[in-house]
């Protein structure tokens, strides 16, 4: 198995063009012309991580509004 990491939009183009056989993950998508979306194989639970010395704590998503956040 060879894994490559690319943006989701690019991954879909690579599968549709036949350069790759499949992609993961796909969020909120439906089957369409020659493109089959499987049932979920991974359950994703969003989480927040930071360095312990930053002492950042949140109880709700709105608590994060004041921070710079990066995601995949």
């Amino acid at each position: 198995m060879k894994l490559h990491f690319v943006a989701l939009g690019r991954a879909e183009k690579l599968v549709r063009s036949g350069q790759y056989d499949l992609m993961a993950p796909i969020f909120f998508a439906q089957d369409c012309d020659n493109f089959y979306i499987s049932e979920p194989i991974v359950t994703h639970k969003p989480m927040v991580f930071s360095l312990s010395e930053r002492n950042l704590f949140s109880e709700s998503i709105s608590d994060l509004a004041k921070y710079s956040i990066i995601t995949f």
Side-chain angles (χ1 to χ4, degrees), residues 12 16 23 26-39:
E12 183 176 340
R16 287 184 181 277
M23 62 181 276
I26 300 173
F27 304 104
F28 311 112
Q30 296 179 0
D31 292 351
C32 56
D33 300 327
N34 297 317
F35 199 77
Y36 171 73
I37 308 299
S38 72
E39 291 297 319

Side-chain angles (χ1 to χ4, degrees), residues 11-52:
E12 183 176 340
K13 289 178 184 176
L14 290 167
V15 171
R16 287 184 181 277
S17 71
Q19 295 177 58
Y20 285 80
D21 298 311
L22 54 94
M23 62 181 276
I26 300 173
F27 304 104
F28 311 112
Q30 296 179 0
D31 292 351
C32 56
D33 300 327
N34 297 317
F35 199 77
Y36 171 73
I37 308 299
S38 72
E39 291 297 319
I41 59 171
V42 175
T43 302
H44 175 71
K45 186 179 274 189
M47 303 177 99
V48 176
F49 300 91
S50 71
L51 297 173
S52 60

